[in-house]
Amino acid sequence: MSPWLVGFSVFFGYPLVMSAYLSFNHYDLLSSPRWVGLANYRYLFTVDPQVWTAIKNTLWLIAVMVPLQVVFAYGIAMLLARAKSGVGFLRTIFYLPALAPPVAATLGFVFILNPATGPVNTILSHLGIQGPLWFQDPAWSKPSLTLLGLWGVGNTMVIFLAAVLDVPRHLYESAELDGAGPLQRLRWVTLPTTSPVILFAVILGVIQGLQYFTQAYVAAGVASGQASQAGDVTAGTLGYPLDSTLVYPVLLFQHGFTDFQMGYASAMAMLLLAVSFAVISIILVNSRKWVHYGGAAR
Amino acid sequence: MSRTRGVLALLVLCALGVAAVGATAATAKKSAPTKLTVWVGWSARELSVFKKVAAEYDKSHPNVTVDVLGSINDDKIVAAIRAGNAPDVASSFNSYDVGIYCGTGGWIDLSSKLKSSGIPLSTFPAATNYYTQFGGKKCALPLLADTYGLYYNKDLFRTAGISGPPKTIAELTADAKKLTKFNPDGSIKVLGFDPFIGFYENTPERWVTAWGAKWLDSSNKAILAKQPGWSNWMTWLKSYVNWVGYNKLVKFQAGLGDEFSASNAFEVGKIAMNYDGEWRVAFIQAEHPKLNYGTSPMPVANPKLYGSGYINGTIIGIPKNGKHEAEAWDLVKYLTTNTHALAELSNGLRNVPSTQKSLTSPELTPDAHFATFLKIFGNKYSSTSPITAAGVSYTNAVQNFATKWQAGKVSNLGSGLSKLDGQLDAMVKQAGGGGVP
């Protein structure tokens, strides 16, 4: 048996099959699973009062944060590709946030965006602007998470930078000879040539968006002021404020590891798998219209 | 003859030597201590108090060594039980999850051990007996109890011309408004009182006792919509939040220190009155011993309820598949029923001792602030929250509703509570594995 097959079976195949099996069971982690048929799925689709909120929050992040991250990372990569001096320094500066652990980065953002004591609102107040409540306001919590996401796009930026620098120079020269300006060169040369990398970044971003957890979990706990207690009931603060950061994986975690309903959490995981598969399939099918692989086979 | 004597003497010496070695070996074997692992939720100063009591047990029981690990929560306990490496003894701050531990058998039923040890259930007060059982199983015992009351800053009271603590909700509201001071820009400087759900110890279950509201009917169905106490409490809460201003409150709270730190808002005088547990007495003593404050029962909506409060507490049990069940039980028995141990813990943690006998132990250090909570604990109207198969998610669902309500996100309270009742019943059924009702 090849090592790959062993790895695939142990780390992917078995957990997947078990999740599918457990999704049809009542399983509280401590006693043996008990078959309940479709009860978990019925509860998921017809009763759970938080599941649609969690789906909406996750979709918001995918629809707003992921495109912004791709555009922002691409924009920085374009600027860095054109930089004439201090290139190494600038690349380091823009990449550096990606090295910050997500928990530490989130803690930092909650601190600097604290509406009462944070430096951002303090500066805004000196300018005569009343800053928002950021992570404490349901209308601003997801935009705050988006800011955090944009700050940490270093990895995507580096990939884009490599792709942009890899665009053959002669294509630009030909375009220039044909009278193409900077925007036309971007539209007709850079974007098509780097489109496979953009597709990669979009798919990666969507998958990360569907699995978005750490930042939402930490931000909710810290902003609610309840994260420091070992025995604290975490589920009471998940999604703070007002379920606005309750993304699907956080709800799944809550049901599985706080409420100890692993059978139900498995049903949620199967739905997430199905949705992920569907979304990625749609993107891949749609990508045929805008991704150019040059002369290579797809 | 002398040679024979010499041989005999040598044989006797050898026999004595063998016997001595054998005895030493036997003693060594007998005294090899069993290592008992104990997981508790306490940390920092509180953990050291628990360790001190555990060390006393350790010292008087040479057959065991007690290894205490702090900062534990229920996630870790359940994960350890699943992985087969659970501690011999586990303690949780979260009595709400007794329904899960008992229902699943994650913690063993202690009924037979209590019986064989001659410990009647009447050893423990009724409320603590309630939150340590579920489904006919007694899978936990109370390890100190928590009661909640009002802390008030006497200096701020004097400045505002208030002579004593409020006893009714109307007095609480009036005093809170008198004590609240705003900055020139309209932000809060000092808040009279903060009932905001989610802030520090404010949860629905701790508040509705002041209105005498019940949770369940006789068939264990949620009756929040049918109990006027629930809607009356929420209406008052919304009205108070509106008076202060929701956004102002949120911003004010964001700038306050952590609850369990020396920057606690009450301890530093940012809040004049606070709803808190009895343990705050010890925190204030350790962090701000000069704070001029008083304690009293929480103000109530119905005068006959004055003196009562919410009761909850730390629980302790023996996870299943433990390797040292007998030794673990002996330790649990000591920690939960030994009057000296409970008094030591109570003095150090300023938690309420959780047996009838220890409540009046002469070893308890007298403290006027703390005495308030002992009285609340003994009040016949003091109550606790329901234990269900849904565990902590049950009360969290109510809290979730209350936070939406106080933010003005629920348009109709009556229909909202009715819907919540349905959700709670569905949650309990789902947790039991039955699916949709």
Side-chain angles (χ1 to χ4, degrees), chain A residues 163-221:
Chain A
V164 170
L165 291 173
D166 207 32
V167 177
R169 296 300 308 165
H170 67 84
L171 293 179
Y172 288 121
E173 288 160 10
S174 302
E176 274 185 52
L177 286 173
D178 289 342
L183 282 177
Q184 285 171 313
R185 287 201 295 276
L186 172 69
R187 168 69 184 85
W188 298 109
V189 177
T190 315
L191 283 173
T193 318
T194 57
S195 58
V197 179
I198 295 173
L199 174 64
F200 169 77
V202 168
I203 289 177
L204 204 67
V206 169
I207 291 173
Q208 285 172 346
L210 287 165
Q211 298 178 340
Y212 196 76
F213 177 84
T214 307
Q215 293 87 339
Y217 181 87
V218 174

Short mmCIF file of all heavy atoms in Angstrom, two decimals, chain A residues 163-221:
data_model
loop_
_atom_site.label_atom_id
_atom_site.label_comp_id
_atom_site.label_asym_id
_atom_site.label_seq_id
_atom_site.Cartn_x
_atom_site.Cartn_y
_atom_site.Cartn_z
N ALA A 163 3.29 35.69 -10.03
CA ALA A 163 2.58 35.53 -11.30
C ALA A 163 2.74 36.77 -12.18
O ALA A 163 2.98 36.67 -13.39
CB ALA A 163 1.10 35.27 -11.02
N VAL A 164 2.62 37.94 -11.56
CA VAL A 164 2.74 39.20 -12.32
C VAL A 164 4.15 39.35 -12.89
O VAL A 164 4.32 39.76 -14.05
CB VAL A 164 2.38 40.41 -11.41
CG1 VAL A 164 2.73 41.72 -12.09
CG2 VAL A 164 0.90 40.38 -11.07
N LEU A 165 5.15 39.00 -12.09
CA LEU A 165 6.53 39.12 -12.57
C LEU A 165 6.84 38.09 -13.64
O LEU A 165 7.82 38.23 -14.38
CB LEU A 165 7.51 38.95 -11.38
CG LEU A 165 7.52 40.09 -10.35
CD1 LEU A 165 8.38 39.72 -9.15
CD2 LEU A 165 8.01 41.39 -10.98
N ASP A 166 6.00 37.07 -13.70
CA ASP A 166 6.23 35.99 -14.66
C ASP A 166 5.59 36.26 -16.02
O ASP A 166 5.75 35.48 -16.95
CB ASP A 166 5.66 34.69 -14.07
CG ASP A 166 6.39 33.48 -14.61
OD1 ASP A 166 7.59 33.60 -14.89
OD2 ASP A 166 5.75 32.42 -14.76
N VAL A 167 4.85 37.36 -16.11
CA VAL A 167 4.21 37.68 -17.40
C VAL A 167 5.31 38.03 -18.41
O VAL A 167 6.15 38.90 -18.14
CB VAL A 167 3.23 38.87 -17.25
CG1 VAL A 167 2.63 39.24 -18.60
CG2 VAL A 167 2.14 38.53 -16.25
N PRO A 168 5.33 37.35 -19.56
CA PRO A 168 6.41 37.60 -20.54
C PRO A 168 6.45 39.07 -20.96
O PRO A 168 5.41 39.66 -21.29
CB PRO A 168 6.02 36.71 -21.72
CG PRO A 168 5.14 35.66 -21.14
CD PRO A 168 4.41 36.32 -20.02
N ARG A 169 7.64 39.65 -20.95
CA ARG A 169 7.81 41.06 -21.27
C ARG A 169 7.38 41.37 -22.70
O ARG A 169 6.85 42.44 -22.99
CB ARG A 169 9.29 41.48 -21.11
CG ARG A 169 9.86 41.39 -19.71
CD ARG A 169 9.14 42.26 -18.71
NE ARG A 169 9.00 43.64 -19.12
CZ ARG A 169 8.18 44.50 -18.56
NH1 ARG A 169 7.40 44.11 -17.56
NH2 ARG A 169 8.11 45.74 -18.98
N HIS A 170 7.57 40.38 -23.58
CA HIS A 170 7.29 40.67 -24.99
C HIS A 170 5.80 40.92 -25.23
O HIS A 170 5.41 41.60 -26.17
CB HIS A 170 7.80 39.53 -25.90
CG HIS A 170 7.08 38.23 -25.72
ND1 HIS A 170 5.90 37.93 -26.35
CD2 HIS A 170 7.39 37.14 -24.98
CE1 HIS A 170 5.51 36.72 -26.02
NE2 HIS A 170 6.41 36.21 -25.18
N LEU A 171 4.96 40.38 -24.33
CA LEU A 171 3.52 40.63 -24.49
C LEU A 171 3.20 42.11 -24.24
O LEU A 171 2.40 42.72 -24.94
CB LEU A 171 2.71 39.76 -23.53
CG LEU A 171 2.76 38.25 -23.79
CD1 LEU A 171 1.93 37.50 -22.75
CD2 LEU A 171 2.24 37.92 -25.19
N TYR A 172 3.86 42.67 -23.22
CA TYR A 172 3.68 44.10 -22.93
C TYR A 172 4.21 44.95 -24.08
O TYR A 172 3.59 45.94 -24.49
CB TYR A 172 4.40 44.49 -21.63
CG TYR A 172 3.73 43.95 -20.38
CD1 TYR A 172 4.44 43.13 -19.52
CD2 TYR A 172 2.42 44.27 -20.06
CE1 TYR A 172 3.86 42.62 -18.37
CE2 TYR A 172 1.83 43.77 -18.90
CZ TYR A 172 2.55 42.96 -18.07
OH TYR A 172 1.97 42.47 -16.94
N GLU A 173 5.37 44.53 -24.60
CA GLU A 173 5.98 45.31 -25.69
C GLU A 173 5.08 45.30 -26.92
O GLU A 173 4.85 46.32 -27.57
CB GLU A 173 7.36 44.73 -26.02
CG GLU A 173 8.41 45.04 -24.94
CD GLU A 173 9.61 44.11 -25.00
OE1 GLU A 173 9.73 43.35 -25.98
OE2 GLU A 173 10.40 44.12 -24.04
N SER A 174 4.51 44.12 -27.22
CA SER A 174 3.60 44.03 -28.37
C SER A 174 2.38 44.91 -28.16
O SER A 174 1.93 45.61 -29.07
CB SER A 174 3.14 42.58 -28.56
OG SER A 174 4.22 41.74 -28.75
N ALA A 175 1.85 44.87 -26.92
CA ALA A 175 0.66 45.67 -26.62
C ALA A 175 0.96 47.15 -26.75
O ALA A 175 0.14 47.92 -27.26
CB ALA A 175 0.17 45.35 -25.21
N GLU A 176 2.15 47.53 -26.26
CA GLU A 176 2.53 48.93 -26.36
C GLU A 176 2.65 49.37 -27.81
O GLU A 176 2.23 50.46 -28.19
CB GLU A 176 3.86 49.15 -25.63
CG GLU A 176 3.68 49.41 -24.13
CD GLU A 176 5.00 49.74 -23.45
OE1 GLU A 176 5.70 50.64 -23.94
OE2 GLU A 176 5.31 49.06 -22.47
N LEU A 177 3.23 48.49 -28.64
CA LEU A 177 3.36 48.80 -30.07
C LEU A 177 2.00 48.97 -30.72
O LEU A 177 1.81 49.74 -31.64
CB LEU A 177 4.14 47.68 -30.78
CG LEU A 177 5.66 47.66 -30.50
CD1 LEU A 177 6.29 46.42 -31.11
CD2 LEU A 177 6.31 48.92 -31.08
N ASP A 178 1.01 48.20 -30.16
CA ASP A 178 -0.36 48.32 -30.70
C ASP A 178 -1.10 49.51 -30.11
O ASP A 178 -2.29 49.71 -30.37
CB ASP A 178 -1.16 47.04 -30.39
CG ASP A 178 -0.67 45.87 -31.22
OD1 ASP A 178 0.01 46.12 -32.24
OD2 ASP A 178 -0.95 44.71 -30.85
N GLY A 179 -0.40 50.28 -29.23
CA GLY A 179 -0.99 51.50 -28.67
C GLY A 179 -1.78 51.29 -27.40
O GLY A 179 -2.58 52.15 -27.00
N ALA A 180 -1.58 50.14 -26.72
CA ALA A 180 -2.33 49.89 -25.48
C ALA A 180 -1.78 50.72 -24.33
O ALA A 180 -0.56 50.78 -24.14
CB ALA A 180 -2.26 48.41 -25.12
N GLY A 181 -2.66 51.37 -23.59
CA GLY A 181 -2.27 52.13 -22.40
C GLY A 181 -2.14 51.20 -21.20
O GLY A 181 -2.37 49.99 -21.32
N PRO A 182 -1.83 51.77 -20.01
CA PRO A 182 -1.64 50.93 -18.80
C PRO A 182 -2.87 50.08 -18.47
O PRO A 182 -2.75 48.91 -18.17
CB PRO A 182 -1.37 51.96 -17.71
CG PRO A 182 -0.89 53.18 -18.41
CD PRO A 182 -1.55 53.19 -19.76
N LEU A 183 -4.07 50.69 -18.54
CA LEU A 183 -5.27 49.94 -18.19
C LEU A 183 -5.55 48.84 -19.20
O LEU A 183 -5.97 47.73 -18.85
CB LEU A 183 -6.47 50.88 -18.10
CG LEU A 183 -6.56 51.71 -16.81
CD1 LEU A 183 -7.75 52.65 -16.86
CD2 LEU A 183 -6.67 50.79 -15.59
N GLN A 184 -5.30 49.16 -20.48
CA GLN A 184 -5.53 48.14 -21.51
C GLN A 184 -4.54 46.99 -21.38
O GLN A 184 -4.88 45.83 -21.60
CB GLN A 184 -5.43 48.78 -22.90
CG GLN A 184 -6.67 49.61 -23.23
CD GLN A 184 -6.49 50.40 -24.50
OE1 GLN A 184 -5.45 51.06 -24.68
NE2 GLN A 184 -7.47 50.34 -25.37
N ARG A 185 -3.30 47.36 -21.01
CA ARG A 185 -2.30 46.29 -20.82
C ARG A 185 -2.71 45.40 -19.64
O ARG A 185 -2.56 44.19 -19.69
CB ARG A 185 -0.92 46.90 -20.54
CG ARG A 185 -0.26 47.52 -21.77
CD ARG A 185 1.24 47.63 -21.60
NE ARG A 185 1.63 48.54 -20.53
CZ ARG A 185 1.74 49.87 -20.67
NH1 ARG A 185 1.49 50.44 -21.86
NH2 ARG A 185 2.09 50.63 -19.67
N LEU A 186 -3.26 46.03 -18.59
CA LEU A 186 -3.73 45.24 -17.44
C LEU A 186 -4.88 44.33 -17.88
O LEU A 186 -4.91 43.14 -17.56
CB LEU A 186 -4.20 46.18 -16.33
CG LEU A 186 -4.90 45.52 -15.14
CD1 LEU A 186 -3.91 44.68 -14.32
CD2 LEU A 186 -5.54 46.56 -14.22
N ARG A 187 -5.81 44.92 -18.63
CA ARG A 187 -7.02 44.16 -19.02
C ARG A 187 -6.70 43.04 -20.00
O ARG A 187 -7.25 41.93 -19.90
CB ARG A 187 -8.03 45.16 -19.64
CG ARG A 187 -9.21 44.53 -20.35
CD ARG A 187 -10.15 43.82 -19.36
NE ARG A 187 -11.23 43.13 -20.05
CZ ARG A 187 -11.16 41.91 -20.55
NH1 ARG A 187 -10.03 41.22 -20.43
NH2 ARG A 187 -12.20 41.34 -21.15
N TRP A 188 -5.81 43.34 -20.97
CA TRP A 188 -5.61 42.36 -22.06
C TRP A 188 -4.34 41.53 -21.94
O TRP A 188 -4.18 40.56 -22.66
CB TRP A 188 -5.63 43.09 -23.42
CG TRP A 188 -6.95 43.77 -23.67
CD1 TRP A 188 -7.21 45.10 -23.67
CD2 TRP A 188 -8.20 43.12 -23.93
NE1 TRP A 188 -8.53 45.35 -23.90
CE2 TRP A 188 -9.18 44.14 -24.06
CE3 TRP A 188 -8.61 41.79 -24.04
CZ2 TRP A 188 -10.51 43.86 -24.31
CZ3 TRP A 188 -9.95 41.52 -24.30
CH2 TRP A 188 -10.88 42.55 -24.42
N VAL A 189 -3.45 41.95 -21.07
CA VAL A 189 -2.21 41.17 -20.93
C VAL A 189 -2.07 40.57 -19.52
O VAL A 189 -2.05 39.35 -19.36
CB VAL A 189 -0.96 42.03 -21.25
CG1 VAL A 189 0.31 41.22 -21.03
CG2 VAL A 189 -1.02 42.56 -22.66
N THR A 190 -2.02 41.44 -18.52
CA THR A 190 -1.71 40.95 -17.16
C THR A 190 -2.80 40.03 -16.63
O THR A 190 -2.53 38.92 -16.17
CB THR A 190 -1.52 42.14 -16.19
OG1 THR A 190 -0.70 43.13 -16.81
CG2 THR A 190 -0.86 41.69 -14.92
N LEU A 191 -4.05 40.51 -16.68
CA LEU A 191 -5.12 39.70 -16.10
C LEU A 191 -5.29 38.34 -16.80
O LEU A 191 -5.35 37.31 -16.11
CB LEU A 191 -6.44 40.48 -16.12
CG LEU A 191 -6.57 41.56 -15.04
CD1 LEU A 191 -7.84 42.39 -15.24
CD2 LEU A 191 -6.58 40.94 -13.64
N PRO A 192 -5.35 38.31 -18.12
CA PRO A 192 -5.49 36.98 -18.75
C PRO A 192 -4.31 36.06 -18.44
O PRO A 192 -4.50 34.87 -18.17
CB PRO A 192 -5.53 37.30 -20.25
CG PRO A 192 -5.93 38.72 -20.34
CD PRO A 192 -5.37 39.39 -19.13
N THR A 193 -3.10 36.63 -18.44
CA THR A 193 -1.93 35.77 -18.22
C THR A 193 -1.89 35.24 -16.80
O THR A 193 -1.44 34.12 -16.56
CB THR A 193 -0.64 36.58 -18.49
OG1 THR A 193 -0.82 37.36 -19.66
CG2 THR A 193 0.55 35.66 -18.69
N THR A 194 -2.36 36.05 -15.86
CA THR A 194 -2.32 35.60 -14.46
C THR A 194 -3.65 34.98 -14.01
O THR A 194 -3.80 34.67 -12.83
CB THR A 194 -1.99 36.79 -13.52
OG1 THR A 194 -2.97 37.82 -13.72
CG2 THR A 194 -0.61 37.34 -13.77
N SER A 195 -4.58 34.82 -14.93
CA SER A 195 -5.91 34.34 -14.53
C SER A 195 -5.89 32.96 -13.85
O SER A 195 -6.68 32.73 -12.92
CB SER A 195 -6.88 34.35 -15.72
OG SER A 195 -6.37 33.54 -16.76
N PRO A 196 -5.02 32.03 -14.23
CA PRO A 196 -5.01 30.75 -13.49
C PRO A 196 -4.65 30.95 -12.01
O PRO A 196 -5.20 30.27 -11.14
CB PRO A 196 -3.93 29.94 -14.21
CG PRO A 196 -3.85 30.51 -15.56
CD PRO A 196 -4.10 31.98 -15.39
N VAL A 197 -3.76 31.91 -11.77
CA VAL A 197 -3.37 32.18 -10.38
C VAL A 197 -4.52 32.88 -9.64
O VAL A 197 -4.77 32.62 -8.46
CB VAL A 197 -2.08 33.03 -10.33
CG1 VAL A 197 -1.69 33.32 -8.88
CG2 VAL A 197 -0.97 32.33 -11.05
N ILE A 198 -5.23 33.74 -10.36
CA ILE A 198 -6.40 34.40 -9.72
C ILE A 198 -7.44 33.34 -9.36
O ILE A 198 -8.02 33.37 -8.27
CB ILE A 198 -7.00 35.47 -10.68
CG1 ILE A 198 -5.98 36.59 -10.91
CG2 ILE A 198 -8.29 36.03 -10.10
CD1 ILE A 198 -6.41 37.61 -11.95
N LEU A 199 -7.66 32.40 -10.28
CA LEU A 199 -8.61 31.32 -10.00
C LEU A 199 -8.18 30.55 -8.75
O LEU A 199 -9.00 30.26 -7.87
CB LEU A 199 -8.69 30.36 -11.20
CG LEU A 199 -9.55 29.11 -10.97
CD1 LEU A 199 -11.01 29.47 -10.74
CD2 LEU A 199 -9.42 28.13 -12.15
N PHE A 200 -6.89 30.27 -8.67
CA PHE A 200 -6.37 29.55 -7.50
C PHE A 200 -6.65 30.35 -6.22
O PHE A 200 -7.12 29.80 -5.22
CB PHE A 200 -4.86 29.34 -7.67
CG PHE A 200 -4.17 28.84 -6.43
CD1 PHE A 200 -4.26 27.51 -6.06
CD2 PHE A 200 -3.43 29.71 -5.64
CE1 PHE A 200 -3.64 27.06 -4.91
CE2 PHE A 200 -2.80 29.26 -4.49
CZ PHE A 200 -2.91 27.93 -4.13
N ALA A 201 -6.40 31.67 -6.29
CA ALA A 201 -6.60 32.51 -5.10
C ALA A 201 -8.08 32.58 -4.72
O ALA A 201 -8.43 32.58 -3.54
CB ALA A 201 -6.06 33.92 -5.36
N VAL A 202 -8.95 32.64 -5.74
CA VAL A 202 -10.39 32.70 -5.46
C VAL A 202 -10.85 31.41 -4.80
O VAL A 202 -11.57 31.43 -3.78
CB VAL A 202 -11.17 32.97 -6.77
CG1 VAL A 202 -12.67 32.75 -6.55
CG2 VAL A 202 -10.94 34.40 -7.25
N ILE A 203 -10.43 30.28 -5.37
CA ILE A 203 -10.86 28.99 -4.79
C ILE A 203 -10.33 28.84 -3.37
O ILE A 203 -11.08 28.46 -2.46
CB ILE A 203 -10.39 27.82 -5.68
CG1 ILE A 203 -11.20 27.82 -6.98
CG2 ILE A 203 -10.54 26.49 -4.95
CD1 ILE A 203 -10.80 26.76 -7.97
N LEU A 204 -9.08 29.18 -3.18
CA LEU A 204 -8.49 29.09 -1.84
C LEU A 204 -9.24 30.02 -0.87
O LEU A 204 -9.55 29.63 0.27
CB LEU A 204 -7.02 29.48 -1.91
CG LEU A 204 -6.13 28.94 -0.82
CD1 LEU A 204 -6.00 27.43 -0.91
CD2 LEU A 204 -4.74 29.58 -0.89
N GLY A 205 -9.53 31.23 -1.34
CA GLY A 205 -10.23 32.20 -0.48
C GLY A 205 -11.62 31.73 -0.12
O GLY A 205 -12.05 31.87 1.04
N VAL A 206 -12.32 31.15 -1.08
CA VAL A 206 -13.68 30.66 -0.81
C VAL A 206 -13.64 29.51 0.19
O VAL A 206 -14.45 29.46 1.13
CB VAL A 206 -14.38 30.24 -2.12
CG1 VAL A 206 -15.67 29.49 -1.83
CG2 VAL A 206 -14.67 31.47 -2.97
N ILE A 207 -12.69 28.60 -0.01
CA ILE A 207 -12.58 27.47 0.93
C ILE A 207 -12.25 28.00 2.33
O ILE A 207 -12.85 27.57 3.32
CB ILE A 207 -11.50 26.46 0.46
CG1 ILE A 207 -12.00 25.75 -0.80
CG2 ILE A 207 -11.19 25.44 1.55
CD1 ILE A 207 -10.98 24.86 -1.47
N GLN A 208 -11.34 28.96 2.40
CA GLN A 208 -11.01 29.53 3.72
C GLN A 208 -12.21 30.27 4.31
O GLN A 208 -12.43 30.26 5.51
CB GLN A 208 -9.81 30.48 3.59
CG GLN A 208 -8.50 29.72 3.43
CD GLN A 208 -7.32 30.62 3.11
OE1 GLN A 208 -7.51 31.78 2.74
NE2 GLN A 208 -6.11 30.09 3.22
N GLY A 209 -12.97 30.92 3.44
CA GLY A 209 -14.18 31.62 3.90
C GLY A 209 -15.21 30.64 4.46
O GLY A 209 -15.85 30.91 5.47
N LEU A 210 -15.35 29.50 3.80
CA LEU A 210 -16.30 28.50 4.28
C LEU A 210 -15.85 27.89 5.61
O LEU A 210 -16.66 27.44 6.40
CB LEU A 210 -16.47 27.38 3.24
CG LEU A 210 -17.27 27.76 1.98
CD1 LEU A 210 -17.06 26.74 0.88
CD2 LEU A 210 -18.76 27.87 2.32
N GLN A 211 -14.53 27.89 5.81
CA GLN A 211 -13.99 27.31 7.05
C GLN A 211 -13.59 28.38 8.07
O GLN A 211 -12.92 28.07 9.06
CB GLN A 211 -12.76 26.46 6.73
CG GLN A 211 -13.08 25.28 5.82
CD GLN A 211 -11.84 24.47 5.48
OE1 GLN A 211 -10.73 24.97 5.58
NE2 GLN A 211 -12.07 23.24 5.06
N TYR A 212 -13.97 29.61 7.83
CA TYR A 212 -13.56 30.74 8.68
C TYR A 212 -13.95 30.49 10.14
O TYR A 212 -15.12 30.30 10.45
CB TYR A 212 -14.24 32.01 8.17
CG TYR A 212 -13.64 33.29 8.68
CD1 TYR A 212 -12.46 33.77 8.16
CD2 TYR A 212 -14.29 34.03 9.65
CE1 TYR A 212 -11.91 34.97 8.62
CE2 TYR A 212 -13.77 35.22 10.11
CZ TYR A 212 -12.57 35.69 9.59
OH TYR A 212 -12.05 36.86 10.05
N PHE A 213 -12.98 30.48 11.03
CA PHE A 213 -13.29 30.13 12.41
C PHE A 213 -12.51 30.96 13.43
O PHE A 213 -13.08 31.69 14.23
CB PHE A 213 -13.01 28.64 12.64
CG PHE A 213 -13.24 28.19 14.06
CD1 PHE A 213 -14.51 27.85 14.50
CD2 PHE A 213 -12.19 28.12 14.96
CE1 PHE A 213 -14.73 27.45 15.81
CE2 PHE A 213 -12.40 27.73 16.28
CZ PHE A 213 -13.67 27.38 16.69
N THR A 214 -11.18 30.84 13.38
CA THR A 214 -10.34 31.36 14.47
C THR A 214 -10.62 32.84 14.77
O THR A 214 -10.86 33.22 15.93
CB THR A 214 -8.85 31.18 14.13
OG1 THR A 214 -8.64 29.83 13.79
CG2 THR A 214 -7.96 31.56 15.30
N GLN A 215 -10.58 33.65 13.73
CA GLN A 215 -10.73 35.09 13.95
C GLN A 215 -12.11 35.42 14.54
O GLN A 215 -12.22 36.24 15.46
CB GLN A 215 -10.52 35.86 12.63
CG GLN A 215 -9.10 35.78 12.09
CD GLN A 215 -8.86 34.57 11.20
OE1 GLN A 215 -9.59 33.58 11.27
NE2 GLN A 215 -7.84 34.63 10.36
N ALA A 216 -13.15 34.77 14.00
CA ALA A 216 -14.50 35.04 14.50
C ALA A 216 -14.64 34.57 15.95
O ALA A 216 -15.25 35.25 16.79
CB ALA A 216 -15.53 34.34 13.62
N TYR A 217 -14.06 33.43 16.24
CA TYR A 217 -14.15 32.85 17.59
C TYR A 217 -13.44 33.74 18.61
O TYR A 217 -13.99 34.07 19.66
CB TYR A 217 -13.53 31.46 17.55
CG TYR A 217 -13.55 30.71 18.87
CD1 TYR A 217 -14.66 29.94 19.22
CD2 TYR A 217 -12.48 30.76 19.74
CE1 TYR A 217 -14.70 29.25 20.42
CE2 TYR A 217 -12.51 30.06 20.95
CZ TYR A 217 -13.61 29.31 21.27
OH TYR A 217 -13.63 28.62 22.46
N VAL A 218 -12.22 34.14 18.27
CA VAL A 218 -11.42 34.94 19.20
C VAL A 218 -12.02 36.34 19.36
O VAL A 218 -12.16 36.85 20.48
CB VAL A 218 -9.95 35.02 18.74
CG1 VAL A 218 -9.14 35.96 19.63
CG2 VAL A 218 -9.32 33.64 18.75
N ALA A 219 -12.38 36.95 18.25
CA ALA A 219 -12.91 38.31 18.31
C ALA A 219 -14.17 38.36 19.17
O ALA A 219 -14.34 39.28 19.99
CB ALA A 219 -13.21 38.82 16.90
N ALA A 220 -15.05 37.38 19.00
CA ALA A 220 -16.29 37.36 19.78
C ALA A 220 -15.99 37.22 21.27
O ALA A 220 -16.56 37.93 22.11
CB ALA A 220 -17.19 36.22 19.32
N GLY A 221 -15.09 36.32 21.60
CA GLY A 221 -14.78 36.08 23.00
C GLY A 221 -14.13 37.29 23.66
O GLY A 221 -14.51 37.68 24.77
#
